[in-house]
Amino acid sequence: MLNIHRLTLLREVHQRGTLAAVARELHYSPSAVSHQLSQLEREAGVPLLETVGRGVRLTEAALRLVARTDEVLTILDTAEAELASSRSGAEGTLRVTSFQSALATILPTALTMLEKRHPGLNVEVYHREVGEAFEGLAAHSYDVVIGDEFPGQPEPVRPGLHREELFADPMLLVLPTTGQWAVPAEELDGLADLADAPWILEPATMPQGRWERTVLREAGVEPRVKCETTDPILRAHMARTGHGVTVIPAMLAGPHLDHTQALAMPGSPHRQLFTAVRDGYTGHPGVRAFRTALGAAARRESPDTPEQL
């Protein structure tokens, strides 16, 4: 009989391309991964891997086996969710991964709600970038991803995952209140008036960074990037201390934007927040409780929309 753990390793090799990458992700040695896959080949009775350069490639038989493994894992997720539903209330461990602005705002509020309503549910939180988060979700390293999507930067459709919309988060233009770029809102006609300003942006490799540069260039601004960071709180602090202009999600309005001038951007663009879980886990009571608490936290923490540029 085929071993489900070894099938999962084969699936990971298909996703990551090398035994070393699988070993790093799962905290094994490469030799241990190789040994397990060799045993799987003996169980299957057909070759499953072929060497290509420094990596490996799955054979046609292995690809068919991976497809069946996805089906099996979905069935096991569903069975686990059904068993959990037979118990009273949400309990056990739920592993959640998210980006920083959610971790700094709505997630702590949701966790406080869950501690009161579902004391038997232990939520573990991991800060991960989007690619690593979704890879971990597919690999069963995490159970829930909190994600975001920017205008013109759609998240890819990922088979086997269930997405549930959370809320729309307006994007704010944030200016300092002291220094050269402390420009009153009434003196700005648009983003083009900030063409010479130093900008504090997300890296261009990130969805928000790509979106920011697209918006600025469409307004005739080729941004002069003074600071590039994925940390929104650092970006806000750089603007607060007069070192440039930035774009911050409204979710972070409040103490993080004290002593700055925050304006709704032209056209009122927003990012869409959502949660994603594996299809078989949608009915898990812990997932349902977490999604409910997160939605309630989002409604509680949603800021008022500032005046528009």
Side-chain angles (χ1 to χ4, degrees), residues 25-308:
E25 174 64 23
L26 300 181
H27 308 292
Y28 291 165
S29 68
S31 61
V33 174
S34 178
H35 176 69
Q36 290 293 313
L37 292 174
S38 295
Q39 286 189 293
L40 181 62
E41 280 194 326
R42 287 195 291 271
E43 292 169 355
V46 295
L48 298 177
L49 298 174
E50 52 191 22
T51 302
V52 179
R54 295 186 177 181
V56 293
R57 181 171 59 198
L58 273 66
T59 64
E60 287 298 320
L63 290 173
R64 290 193 295 271
L65 200 53
V66 166
R68 293 300 186 188
T69 300
D70 287 337
E71 295 174 10
V72 169
L73 291 175
T74 298
I75 291 171
L76 290 175
D77 270 343
T78 303
E80 185 178 339
E82 290 173 349
L83 287 173
S85 296
S86 68
R87 299 190 289 267
S88 58
E91 55 186 49
T93 297
L94 192 72
R95 299 158 299 177
V96 175
T97 178
S98 180
F99 50 86
Q100 187 171 357
S101 57
L103 295 177
T105 53
I106 60 173
L107 189 55
T109 301
L111 294 177
T112 299
M113 294 177 180
L114 287 169
E115 287 169 0
K116 294 177 180 177
R117 300 174 186 173
H118 304 282
L121 182 64
N122 172 44
V123 180
E124 296 178 353
V125 178
Y126 302 86
H127 180 199
R128 299 289 186 267
E129 298 299 343
V130 61
E132 186 179 357
F134 278 102
E135 287 178 2
L137 182 63
H140 291 232
S141 299
Y142 312 118
D143 303 310
V144 183
V145 168
I146 305 173
D148 58 354
E149 184 176 75
F150 290 86
Q153 304 286 332
E155 277 294 304
V157 176
R158 295 178 170 90
L161 299 184
H162 177 266
R163 169 170 162 163
E164 184 171 282
E165 306 306 312
L166 191 53
F167 73 102
D169 188 23
M171 300 301 292
L172 306 180
L173 178 69
V174 180
L175 293 86
T177 55
T178 60
Q180 179 182 0
W181 297 106
V183 185
E186 59 270 17
E187 296 181 13
L188 290 174
D189 291 327
L191 293 172
D193 289 347
L194 298 169
D196 296 327
W199 285 88
I200 305 147
L201 300 178
E202 279 253 353
T205 54
M206 303 296 291
Q208 180 173 335
R210 290 193 295 270
W211 172 78
E212 289 168 339
R213 287 162 177 78
T214 298
V215 169
L216 290 171
R217 287 164 182 159
E218 288 176 349
V221 177
E222 183 58 42
R224 177 167 62 91
V225 180
K226 183 179 182 67
C227 175
E228 189 176 80
T229 174
T230 59
D231 185 343
I233 297 174
L234 175 58
R235 295 200 304 273
H237 184 63
M238 290 285 286
R240 180 187 300 113
T241 51
H243 293 291
V245 180
T246 191
V247 179
I248 297 290
M251 177 191 286
L252 283 172
H256 300 295
L257 297 185
D258 283 351
H259 309 296
T260 66
Q261 183 180 196
L263 305 170
M265 295 184 68
S268 300
H270 63 268
R271 63 173 179 169
Q272 180 65 44
L273 273 69
F274 61 90
T275 57
V277 303
R278 295 183 300 277
D279 281 340
Y281 235 49
T282 55
H284 193 287
V287 168
R288 293 200 306 267
F290 179 78
R291 281 177 155 174
T292 297
L294 199 63
R299 291 188 293 274
R300 178 181 296 183
E301 301 293 336
S302 294
D304 296 330
T305 302
E307 65 176 301
Q308 186 164 329

